[in-house]
Amino acid sequence: MAGALLATPPDFATPLPDGYPTPDALADHGWTPVPRAPLPFRSIVAVSANDPLGSFAQVVELARDWGSHVVELGAAGHLNPASGYGPWPRAEELLHDLEHG
């Protein structure tokens, strides 16, 4: 079974904070435009209420366009090593849900 867990995807339609790639750099490297069609496989989008790289509402809209199940994480920030995150045990639970849900 194919599936995807997308953890706090950024909203590339809005310029990212200082220190992150510009919209032009994202386009030059093929990151944009972000596809908005339904994904051809099951997916979960984990969304943070206070992610500096994507507003909650915009990321939920993206997830709905993709046909993804939305999991609200609360105020988790952006899930990446630069934000201080290491292992994320919740990912195993969400992957299990993808496989068996």
Side-chain angles (χ1 to χ4, degrees), residues 1-2 8 14 19 28 30 33-34 40-41 46 54 56 73-74 76 79 84-85 90-91 96:
M1 163 196 260
T8 63
T14 303
D28 288 348
V34 173
F41 44 79
F56 182 85
L73 301 175
L79 296 180
Y85 284 93
R90 179 105 189 256
H96 181 269

Short mmCIF file of all heavy atoms in Angstrom, two decimals, residues 1-2 8 14 19 28 30 33-34 40-41 46 54 56 73-74 76 79 84-85 90-91 96:
data_model
loop_
_atom_site.label_atom_id
_atom_site.label_comp_id
_atom_site.label_asym_id
_atom_site.label_seq_id
_atom_site.Cartn_x
_atom_site.Cartn_y
_atom_site.Cartn_z
N MET A 1 0.83 -1.18 0.00
CA MET A 1 0.00 0.00 0.00
C MET A 1 0.88 1.25 0.00
O MET A 1 1.84 1.34 0.73
CB MET A 1 -0.90 0.02 1.23
CG MET A 1 -1.45 1.40 1.45
SD MET A 1 -2.12 1.72 3.03
CE MET A 1 -3.81 1.53 2.69
N ALA A 2 0.55 2.19 -0.84
CA ALA A 2 1.29 3.45 -0.89
C ALA A 2 0.53 4.50 -0.09
O ALA A 2 -0.70 4.51 -0.05
CB ALA A 2 1.44 3.91 -2.33
N THR A 8 3.69 19.03 8.79
CA THR A 8 3.76 20.49 8.74
C THR A 8 4.34 21.01 7.42
O THR A 8 5.35 21.71 7.40
CB THR A 8 4.53 21.08 9.95
OG1 THR A 8 5.89 20.65 9.94
CG2 THR A 8 3.88 20.72 11.26
N THR A 14 2.96 31.84 0.30
CA THR A 14 3.29 33.00 1.12
C THR A 14 4.80 33.04 1.30
O THR A 14 5.41 32.01 1.59
CB THR A 14 2.61 32.87 2.51
OG1 THR A 14 1.21 32.72 2.32
CG2 THR A 14 2.89 34.08 3.38
N GLY A 19 15.87 33.98 5.97
CA GLY A 19 16.72 32.82 6.16
C GLY A 19 16.25 31.60 5.38
O GLY A 19 16.95 30.59 5.32
N ASP A 28 12.76 28.33 -9.07
CA ASP A 28 13.95 27.93 -9.85
C ASP A 28 14.36 26.49 -9.58
O ASP A 28 14.94 25.84 -10.44
CB ASP A 28 15.13 28.86 -9.54
CG ASP A 28 14.97 30.25 -10.12
OD1 ASP A 28 14.05 30.46 -10.96
OD2 ASP A 28 15.74 31.15 -9.71
N GLY A 30 12.18 24.04 -8.67
CA GLY A 30 11.08 23.12 -8.91
C GLY A 30 10.15 22.86 -7.75
O GLY A 30 9.33 21.94 -7.80
N PRO A 33 5.09 25.59 -8.85
CA PRO A 33 3.89 25.66 -8.01
C PRO A 33 3.61 24.32 -7.33
O PRO A 33 3.91 23.26 -7.88
CB PRO A 33 2.78 26.01 -8.99
CG PRO A 33 3.25 25.44 -10.29
CD PRO A 33 4.75 25.56 -10.27
N VAL A 34 3.04 24.39 -6.16
CA VAL A 34 2.68 23.19 -5.41
C VAL A 34 1.42 22.59 -6.05
O VAL A 34 0.44 23.31 -6.26
CB VAL A 34 2.42 23.53 -3.92
CG1 VAL A 34 1.88 22.33 -3.17
CG2 VAL A 34 3.69 24.06 -3.28
N PRO A 40 -2.99 10.58 -5.53
CA PRO A 40 -3.50 9.28 -5.96
C PRO A 40 -3.27 8.17 -4.94
O PRO A 40 -3.23 6.99 -5.29
CB PRO A 40 -2.72 9.03 -7.26
CG PRO A 40 -1.43 9.71 -7.03
CD PRO A 40 -1.76 10.93 -6.22
N PHE A 41 -3.09 8.54 -3.68
CA PHE A 41 -2.86 7.58 -2.61
C PHE A 41 -3.35 8.20 -1.31
O PHE A 41 -3.57 9.40 -1.22
CB PHE A 41 -1.37 7.22 -2.51
CG PHE A 41 -0.45 8.40 -2.62
CD1 PHE A 41 -0.22 9.24 -1.55
CD2 PHE A 41 0.17 8.69 -3.83
CE1 PHE A 41 0.62 10.34 -1.65
CE2 PHE A 41 1.01 9.79 -3.95
CZ PHE A 41 1.23 10.62 -2.85
N ALA A 46 -0.15 16.45 8.89
CA ALA A 46 -0.07 16.87 10.29
C ALA A 46 0.15 18.38 10.29
O ALA A 46 1.11 18.87 9.69
CB ALA A 46 1.06 16.14 11.00
N GLY A 54 3.89 28.16 7.56
CA GLY A 54 2.60 27.96 6.91
C GLY A 54 1.47 28.15 7.90
O GLY A 54 1.44 27.50 8.93
N PHE A 56 -2.06 27.83 9.67
CA PHE A 56 -2.92 26.68 9.88
C PHE A 56 -3.97 26.60 8.77
O PHE A 56 -4.16 25.56 8.15
CB PHE A 56 -3.58 26.77 11.26
CG PHE A 56 -4.45 25.61 11.59
CD1 PHE A 56 -3.92 24.46 12.13
CD2 PHE A 56 -5.82 25.68 11.36
CE1 PHE A 56 -4.73 23.38 12.44
CE2 PHE A 56 -6.63 24.60 11.67
CZ PHE A 56 -6.09 23.46 12.21
N LEU A 73 -1.95 19.14 15.39
CA LEU A 73 -0.91 18.87 16.38
C LEU A 73 -0.91 19.85 17.55
O LEU A 73 -0.14 19.69 18.48
CB LEU A 73 0.47 18.93 15.71
CG LEU A 73 0.71 17.97 14.57
CD1 LEU A 73 2.07 18.24 13.94
CD2 LEU A 73 0.60 16.54 15.05
N GLY A 74 -1.74 20.90 17.48
CA GLY A 74 -1.66 21.96 18.48
C GLY A 74 -0.51 22.89 18.12
O GLY A 74 -0.08 22.96 16.97
N ALA A 76 2.76 23.21 17.76
CA ALA A 76 4.00 22.43 17.66
C ALA A 76 5.10 23.15 16.88
O ALA A 76 6.19 22.63 16.75
CB ALA A 76 3.70 21.09 16.98
N LEU A 79 7.91 21.24 12.31
CA LEU A 79 8.58 20.00 12.69
C LEU A 79 9.81 19.77 11.81
O LEU A 79 9.72 19.19 10.75
CB LEU A 79 7.62 18.81 12.55
CG LEU A 79 6.40 18.82 13.45
CD1 LEU A 79 5.54 17.59 13.20
CD2 LEU A 79 6.80 18.89 14.91
N GLY A 84 14.47 22.26 16.64
CA GLY A 84 14.78 21.51 17.85
C GLY A 84 14.16 20.13 17.92
O GLY A 84 14.27 19.46 18.94
N TYR A 85 13.53 19.68 16.85
CA TYR A 85 12.91 18.36 16.86
C TYR A 85 13.91 17.30 16.45
O TYR A 85 14.70 17.48 15.53
CB TYR A 85 11.70 18.31 15.91
CG TYR A 85 10.50 19.00 16.48
CD1 TYR A 85 10.24 20.33 16.18
CD2 TYR A 85 9.63 18.34 17.34
CE1 TYR A 85 9.14 20.98 16.72
CE2 TYR A 85 8.53 18.99 17.87
CZ TYR A 85 8.30 20.31 17.56
OH TYR A 85 7.22 20.95 18.09
N ARG A 90 5.19 10.23 17.45
CA ARG A 90 3.81 10.32 16.92
C ARG A 90 3.77 9.91 15.45
O ARG A 90 2.75 9.43 14.96
CB ARG A 90 3.28 11.74 17.10
CG ARG A 90 1.88 11.95 16.56
CD ARG A 90 0.85 12.01 17.67
NE ARG A 90 -0.50 11.99 17.18
CZ ARG A 90 -1.30 13.04 17.11
NH1 ARG A 90 -0.88 14.21 17.51
NH2 ARG A 90 -2.53 12.91 16.66
N ALA A 91 4.88 10.09 14.74
CA ALA A 91 4.92 9.70 13.33
C ALA A 91 4.63 8.22 13.17
O ALA A 91 3.92 7.82 12.23
CB ALA A 91 6.27 10.05 12.72
N HIS A 96 1.10 4.08 11.16
CA HIS A 96 0.26 2.90 11.41
C HIS A 96 -1.16 3.18 10.95
O HIS A 96 -1.79 2.31 10.32
CB HIS A 96 0.29 2.56 12.91
CG HIS A 96 -0.51 1.36 13.25
ND1 HIS A 96 -1.84 1.43 13.61
CD2 HIS A 96 -0.19 0.05 13.25
CE1 HIS A 96 -2.31 0.22 13.83
NE2 HIS A 96 -1.32 -0.66 13.62
#
